[in-house]
Amino acid sequence: MESLFGDTYEPQDEKSRLFADVILPVPIPKMFTYKIPRSLSEDIGIGYRVMVQFGQKKVLTGIIGKVHQKPPKEYEAKPILDVLDTYAMVNPLQIKFWAWMAEYYCCHIGEVMNAALPSGLKLSSESKIQLNPAYDSETSMYPLDDREEVILQALASREELSYEDCEQLLGIKTIHGIIKSLVIKEAIIVFEKVKDKYTPKVETRIRLRKEYAEDKKALESLFQVLDSKPKQEEVLLKYLQEIPVYQNPELNTKGLDKKAFSEAGLSMSSIKTLIKNNVLEEYKLIISRFEEIEESDEKIILSDEQMLAMQEIKEAFEDKQVTLLHGITGSGKTEIYIQLIKEALESGSQILLLLPEIALTTHIVGRLRKVFGSKMGVYHSKYSDNERVEVWNGVISGKFSFVVGVRSSIFLPFDSLGLVIVDEEHEASFKQYDPAPRFQARDAAIMLAWLHQAKTILGSATPSFESYYNARTKKYGYVQLDRRYGEAQLPEYFLSDILVDKKKNLLKLDFTRLMREKIQEALNKQEQVLIFQNRRGYAPYISCEDCGWIPECEHCDVSLTYHQFGEEMRCHYCGFKEKVPKICPACGSGKLAAVGLGTERIEENISLLFPEARVARMDLDTTRSKYGYQRLLEEFGAGNIDILVGTQMITKGLDFEKVTVVGILDADRILYFPDFRAGERAFQQITQVAGRAGRREKRGTVVIQSRKPDHYIFEKVIQGDYKNFYVQDMTERQKFFYPPFVKLVKISTRQKDYKTAEKAARHLHNLLNDIQVKKIMLGPEKGLIGKIKNQYIFESLVKLDKSGNAQAVFKHDLQLILEEMYANKEFRSVRVVVDVDPY
Ligand code: ADP
Ligand code: ZN
Ligand code: ZN
């Protein structure tokens, strides 16, 4: 019986009482429940932006994450103050994705929201004051002082004042006390005014008035009238020339951009007169910030290898969600993507192609643009806020079904993804280090695709070892392309021993003889050269100038980092440290030196060695501006640069016909990085940069300078033997418990006072150690950079068992421990940063 009445038992009134959990931009790990006032219940739902009161005084804008009927237990829910949208800015799948991200990366959903929304969509609210209508200065019990008087006088003539206005009025910076006092005296009211930061781009357009546009006779007689006014006539003729309304009156609706007249040198005052005389009219049109570009209908003809790979990808997708496309540099992965994207578009689903930051301005985007025109949205971190909001809205409206973007594009409001492609999936820059959420965009993209039940392709010439591991263990599909497209051959490698040249006095300005010869040969043939110098190797290490010995940690498979302070060398992973030795333990030489060489000096040296060559440098410093990177590439592509020196930036996706020589100046510096990934990254970087050479008919040349040319990694790179290198490296990782065999979580504590920072780190470390899961803990030890912005940093590294629920339990307990830490007076000022999958 009960079920019969179950549905109607609650009185109608009660049932329609709704609550909303709102995601707020505050560092608290949960959503907050608010009442939905009946007046708003019709036009509110998940993903709407709302204004709510938070705490006593604050008004915040947040996003509704959930609508339900359960009132909160611990507090009386306050009502939502206002709804700011007429449609949802964020869809339910996105909210699910945010919630996953917050949980997986141990951060707050508000932080994820902050990262997800382009700042143009974040509303800022500003506190303002207005006169209290109930206030009467005659009868008020409280006298006002001079400053308060000034403010009230100003409010007599202006409806509202911002805090800034008050500061200016009084000429002081601290007005909060005065405002508070005025509130207590009931003279003013403080309120929040919300500002939308996005401003659409508006064009002023000119068109004929209807009377003339639709009536040829009227227009003809108008010209007779204007016979004596040549300047106005000129304007009108220009208009009719651009917009032939005679042939098609419809064209008049859109009119002509006002700028077209001034650009043609026509008189602006004549336009004004024509508007005044009701011949022309002016109106505003909201336009896109992105140019309209036609897509081409060129047919792509895939090679046999590419066709086969396509087919294999499709087969893999029959029972796998993710497929790794392992295709050597120049094998033509892009064309395969294009084909798959086309098919997905035809089936009506959305597509996201994720690229590393720097690759976004290169050939691949140009290539895609040609095929997809302005149907393709581009989401770049160098875009302005307004441009990003337009891409966001374009995804919602369906204008952009296909987006190519950097890591933050995983947050776009997709609602029906069918295909996600992560190109250069091994790229370290997919990881966001700071601030939270500290996510890995490739991993997050896989999760995103899973939420949409979409397929994922990970593409790379040198896959990350994790992805390759997943492919080998059959979690992912695996498709290989091991031939370059067309006639192009892989380059020829030369190893050049720095120390040998040094002994024979052949090393000039850090360039070996072989390197100089190969560069000279290219220059003689008007070919181009790329010189690569790794920038990650900021951390200096010690090396013997005579035998090339490099100190390594006794307990870990990494090189020791040189710390100038105290002349010591440290292991970043286990904390092992020792003094820099006086003599080399390998050969007895006394010539031990810290190694390091920047791009700027290399550029200088090249100019000295090859005075006739045109040299340019590409690194963070030379590409800061919005188009800096693109401009350099254009110059290089146009042949205005002979030698380009650069950091990792030059390794990514460049496809220049005339590059025949690639030089790697200090390969050891890539190799000896204090990181368990050093080997993997070295293999990737050398292969990638080498892949820029000889991409057409001419075979390329790669020269690698090293102090240890017999290191096995070079042999593997030269043979293109990714697989055996992987196998060897995996054995080490398994032995020393590194990913993919464990899950890493790095926890750092930061505080201004050294002792407090250290104490907090110890305390936290011990608490974490007590969590009952299978794990190994390292630390706490001083960070690689022990102090940033006057904050001392200590780090603990946790290696979690991957089986069972170790991760879930650990993350759950970690949350409780952190709450306890923050509640503890002694450690309240300590900042704790949790980084899941930190490397
Ligand atoms: P990858 O991304 O695998 O390094 P690309 O996609 O850049 O390789 O392709 C390498 C070169 O070969 C490019 O210049 C590309 O235009 C060309 N190419 C690849 N496939 C085709 C094809 N099917 N038809 C014409 N050109 C192709
Ligand atoms: Zn030595
Ligand atoms: Zn160590």
Side-chain angles (χ1 to χ4, degrees):
M1 282 312 275
E2 199 189 312
S3 64
L4 252 184
F5 297 102
D7 279 337
T8 49
Y9 178 72
E10 265 183 287
Q12 263 332 105
D13 191 30
E14 272 301 298
K15 214 189 150 184
S16 57
R17 262 188 60 168
L18 288 179
F19 294 90
D21 290 350
V22 179
I23 305 167
L24 293 173
V26 291
I28 296 172
K30 59 172 188 177
M31 298 196 251
F32 295 84
T33 306
Y34 288 87
K35 235 186 314 208
I36 302 180
R38 203 145 321 146
S39 60
L40 295 177
S41 66
E42 289 288 300
D43 26 43
I44 213 167
I46 291 180
Y48 282 71
R49 293 178 300 174
V50 291
M51 276 176 71
V52 294
Q53 189 179 346
F54 184 75
Q56 288 304 310
K57 288 262 160 67
K58 255 196 212 143
V59 172
L60 293 176
T61 58
I63 285 189
I64 295 186
K66 197 175 168 186
V67 176
H68 57 85
Q69 300 184 19
K70 272 189 245 109
K73 287 203 189 78
E74 305 90 11
Y75 53 93
E76 171 78 17
K78 292 188 197 114
I80 285 173
L81 300 175
D82 208 353
V83 193
L84 301 162
D85 298 316
T86 48
Y87 60 93
M89 275 292 154
V90 171
N91 66 48
L93 271 171
Q94 284 177 282
I95 307 264
K96 258 195 201 166
F97 183 54
W98 296 0
W100 165 80
M101 188 171 272
E103 190 178 313
Y104 184 86
Y105 290 105
C106 299
C107 64
H108 313 313
I109 194 165
E111 290 173 316
V112 180
M113 174 175 78
N114 252 340
L117 293 180
S119 40
L121 282 184
K122 284 179 218 160
L123 295 158
S124 68
S125 69
E126 193 185 6
S127 300
K128 302 230 176 188
I129 60 171
Q130 66 175 57
L131 213 51
N132 184 344
Y135 180 71
D136 182 347
S137 60
E138 302 291 310
T139 57
S140 171
M141 290 156 39
Y142 315 104
L144 302 181
D145 68 19
D146 289 351
R147 285 170 167 172
E148 291 168 354
E149 237 7 298
V150 172
I151 295 204
L152 276 214
Q153 258 161 32
L155 280 175
S157 57
R158 287 163 70 181
E159 212 166 293
E160 58 184 47
L161 291 174
S162 69
Y163 280 31
E164 222 171 51
D165 295 336
C166 298
E167 283 169 14
Q168 273 173 8
L169 271 175
L170 298 177
I172 53 170
K173 274 279 160 209
T174 46
I175 46 127
H176 285 268
I178 297 164
I179 287 178
K180 204 168 156 192
S181 154
L182 281 168
V183 170
I184 293 170
K185 292 174 182 173
E186 294 176 344
I188 61 165
I189 294 171
V190 178
F191 68 101
E192 296 287 315
K193 191 153 189 174
V194 176
K195 284 190 300 194
D196 222 328
K197 283 195 255 170
Y198 169 67
T199 45
K201 187 169 176 181
V202 178
E203 201 171 82
T204 308
R205 298 187 74 92
I206 300 287
R207 64 186 168 202
L208 265 179
R209 285 211 162 242
K210 235 184 178 165
E211 307 87 277
Y212 297 105
E214 290 172 3
D215 184 349
K216 276 186 199 172
K217 285 232 172 76
L219 200 53
E220 269 157 24
S221 49
L222 174 66
F223 270 107
Q224 277 166 11
V225 176
L226 290 182
D227 235 7
S228 56
K229 304 195 167 88
K231 278 193 172 168
Q232 293 181 34
E233 196 175 22
E234 223 182 339
V235 169
L236 218 52
L237 281 171
K238 164 80 180 168
Y239 183 79
L240 291 175
Q241 184 194 349
E242 297 283 330
I243 315 288
V245 292
Y246 271 130
Q247 280 125 46
N248 182 1
E250 301 245 313
L251 291 176
N252 189 56
T253 337
K254 278 194 98 177
L256 186 64
D257 184 0
K258 194 174 181 182
K259 279 203 231 81
F261 293 99
S262 55
E263 275 160 15
L266 294 169
S267 144
M268 280 294 133
S269 64
S270 303
I271 296 178
K272 252 193 203 155
T273 314
L274 285 166
I275 293 172
K276 207 171 73 199
N277 296 341
N278 289 327
V279 174
L280 295 179
E281 61 184 357
E282 192 179 275
Y283 77 107
K284 307 270 182 196
L285 182 71
I286 294 181
I287 55 157
S288 163
R289 286 189 159 79
F290 304 110
E291 237 181 296
E292 281 298 322
I293 301 165
E294 287 281 318
E295 65 234 66
S296 81
D297 47 8
E298 81 173 294
K299 273 262 169 294
I300 306 159
I301 301 156
L302 295 183
S303 68
D304 289 349
E305 280 94 355
Q306 287 170 324
M307 284 289 270
L308 185 64
M310 270 266 293
Q311 222 158 14
E312 287 175 350
I313 290 171
K314 287 181 185 167
E315 276 161 31
F317 279 156
E318 278 171 21
D319 63 342
K320 301 274 192 321
Q321 194 227 323
V322 184
T323 293
L324 175 61
L325 175 60
H326 185 177
I328 60 168
T329 56
S331 57
K333 295 184 285 293
T334 315
E335 304 302 316
I336 297 180
Y337 299 155
I338 290 172
Q339 195 60 39
L340 290 165
I341 292 165
K342 277 188 164 176
E343 289 176 18
L345 276 175
E346 273 160 29
S347 77
S349 54
Q350 296 168 321
I351 299 107
L352 170 63
L353 170 55
L354 214 58
L355 289 176
E357 173 87 40
I358 207 68
L360 254 196
T361 34
T362 58
H363 298 275
I364 183 162
V365 173
R367 176 83 190 97
L368 294 166
R369 187 57 94 200
K370 243 197 209 148
V371 179
F372 298 102
S374 42
K375 266 207 245 159
M376 172 179 91
V378 178
Y379 204 63
H380 196 284
S381 65
K382 284 198 174 156
Y383 273 2
S384 69
D385 284 346
N386 285 327
E387 285 169 323
R388 290 205 225 179
V389 173
E390 279 181 25
V391 178
W392 186 283
N393 288 334
V395 171
I396 294 181
S397 73
K399 178 171 185 226
F400 299 129
S401 300
F402 166 37
V403 177
V404 39
V406 289
R407 63 177 182 228
S408 53
S409 58
I410 57 174
F411 295 117
L412 284 167
F414 298 108
D415 58 10
S416 60
L417 278 171
L419 179 65
V420 175
I421 302 169
V422 186
D423 191 36
E424 311 279 0
E425 65 88 29
H426 63 277
E427 258 301 308
S429 62
F430 281 128
K431 166 81 182 175
Q432 163 150 328
Y433 289 100
D434 220 23
R438 299 178 170 78
F439 63 99
Q440 217 295 351
R442 172 199 60 218
D443 300 346
I446 294 172
M447 186 60 197
L448 178 70
W450 186 82
L451 286 174
H452 285 258
Q453 292 300 301
K455 300 295 181 190
T456 311
I457 296 176
L458 306 179
S460 174
T462 50
S464 67
F465 283 2
E466 276 90 342
S467 297
Y468 193 65
Y469 175 83
N470 285 330
R472 280 172 58 106
T473 53
K474 302 276 187 269
K475 192 173 158 196
Y476 296 170
Y478 180 70
V479 176
Q480 202 173 3
L481 266 177
D482 50 13
R483 276 185 49 193
R484 279 195 157 179
Y485 177 79
E487 301 300 310
Q489 279 178 294
L490 279 175
E492 186 180 7
Y493 285 88
F494 296 90
L495 279 166
S496 188
D497 194 324
I498 298 176
L499 293 171
V500 168
D501 270 36
K502 198 167 195 172
K503 276 203 186 108
K504 296 187 189 157
N505 253 336
L506 291 172
L507 192 70
K508 285 200 188 131
L509 298 168
D510 306 304
F511 285 70
T512 62
R513 184 169 71 175
L514 183 69
M515 180 75 91
R516 295 195 306 273
E517 279 172 6
K518 293 292 176 194
I519 294 174
Q520 193 60 57
E521 276 170 32
L523 292 176
N524 292 347
K525 288 187 274 181
Q526 330 298 311
E527 292 165 358
Q528 288 175 307
V529 179
L530 285 177
I531 300 291
F532 173 70
Q533 174 70 330
N534 176 288
R535 179 85 157 218
R536 271 184 86 225
Y538 254 133
Y541 59 91
I542 298 288
S543 172
C544 170
E545 290 189 2
D546 284 319
C547 76
W549 173 79
I550 291 166
E552 289 181 41
C553 177
E554 284 178 15
H555 311 289
C556 314
D557 202 10
V558 295
S559 63
L560 292 173
T561 301
Y562 172 62
H563 289 243
Q564 203 176 16
F565 182 76
E567 277 292 298
E568 62 182 22
M569 309 179 298
R570 286 209 206 125
C571 171
H572 185 206
Y573 293 93
C574 70
F576 171 80
K577 61 180 173 191
E578 63 185 3
K579 288 266 169 213
V580 177
K582 294 268 178 292
I583 54 165
C584 171
C587 77
S589 158
K591 287 193 207 153
L592 290 175
V595 181
L597 179 59
T599 40
E600 219 175 319
R601 206 172 101 202
I602 295 169
E603 187 190 10
E604 265 174 46
N605 291 356
I606 292 179
S607 300
L608 293 171
L609 290 169
F610 306 100
E612 77 287 4
R614 292 159 301 173
V615 186
R617 167 164 61 97
M618 178 180 279
D619 56 22
L620 271 182
D621 302 323
T622 61
T623 55
R624 245 177 252 291
S625 66
K626 186 166 178 177
Y627 297 109
Y629 181 73
Q630 217 165 341
R631 220 170 287 138
L632 262 175
L633 285 187
E634 275 163 17
E635 289 282 297
F636 193 60
N640 299 331
I641 297 170
D642 301 310
I643 306 178
L644 184 62
V645 184
T647 54
Q648 278 88 323
M649 282 187 187
I650 64 167
T651 66
K652 267 140 230 178
L654 301 199
D655 188 16
F656 290 112
E657 202 172 337
K658 284 177 73 188
V659 174
T660 54
V661 172
V662 164
I664 300 173
L665 272 199
D666 185 0
D668 309 328
R669 198 169 174 190
I670 316 174
L671 233 47
Y672 293 98
F673 195 77
D675 185 324
F676 73 93
R677 261 189 223 292
E680 176 185 344
R681 294 241 191 275
F683 190 97
Q684 287 162 347
Q685 274 182 4
I686 299 172
T687 309
Q688 292 284 351
V689 70
R692 303 307 121 209
R695 290 171 68 89
R696 299 294 191 281
E697 298 84 40
K698 281 195 194 121
R699 189 170 184 203
T701 300
V702 178
V703 185
I704 301 175
Q705 291 190 174
S706 167
R707 288 173 188 78
K708 274 187 148 185
D710 52 353
H711 194 291
Y712 76 97
I713 198 169
F714 296 127
E715 188 191 318
K716 298 289 176 218
V717 168
I718 291 169
Q719 293 165 350
D721 193 356
Y722 174 89
K723 192 173 139 200
N724 276 314
F725 181 70
Y726 162 88
V727 170
Q728 202 159 337
D729 202 70
M730 276 295 134
T731 325
E732 302 273 299
R733 287 202 199 174
Q734 192 154 26
K735 196 163 119 201
F736 294 108
F737 301 102
Y738 277 106
F741 302 100
V742 295
K743 248 303 131 188
L744 292 184
V745 182
K746 189 167 86 179
I747 293 142
S748 35
T749 39
R750 305 179 182 188
Q751 224 275 346
K752 274 210 198 93
D753 176 58
Y754 185 92
K755 285 233 169 75
T756 315
E758 191 179 27
K759 196 170 172 195
R762 288 251 150 74
H763 178 72
L764 184 60
H765 190 90
N766 292 337
L767 291 175
L768 295 176
N769 213 7
D770 289 342
I771 298 177
Q772 292 298 311
V773 295
K774 205 166 152 196
K775 63 180 179 334
I776 298 168
M777 294 205 36
L778 304 179
E781 60 146 330
K782 227 170 134 179
L784 176 63
I785 306 168
K787 187 172 154 187
I788 297 176
K789 286 184 190 155
N790 285 322
Q791 300 248 326
Y792 288 96
I793 302 173
F794 283 85
E795 291 172 356
S796 292
L797 190 66
V798 189
K799 298 174 172 185
L800 284 170
D801 185 45
K802 276 182 83 174
S803 60
N805 61 353
Q807 281 184 66
V809 172
F810 183 84
K811 286 176 185 172
H812 172 262
D813 288 6
L814 171 64
Q815 206 58 61
L816 300 179
I817 290 171
L818 290 182
E819 275 168 37
E820 199 184 300
M821 279 279 287
Y822 286 125
N824 183 332
K825 247 203 215 129
E826 197 180 356
F827 300 130
R828 196 170 292 159
S829 60
V830 177
R831 205 177 138 224
V832 182
V833 172
V834 180
D835 196 349
V836 179
D837 303 333
Y839 302 106

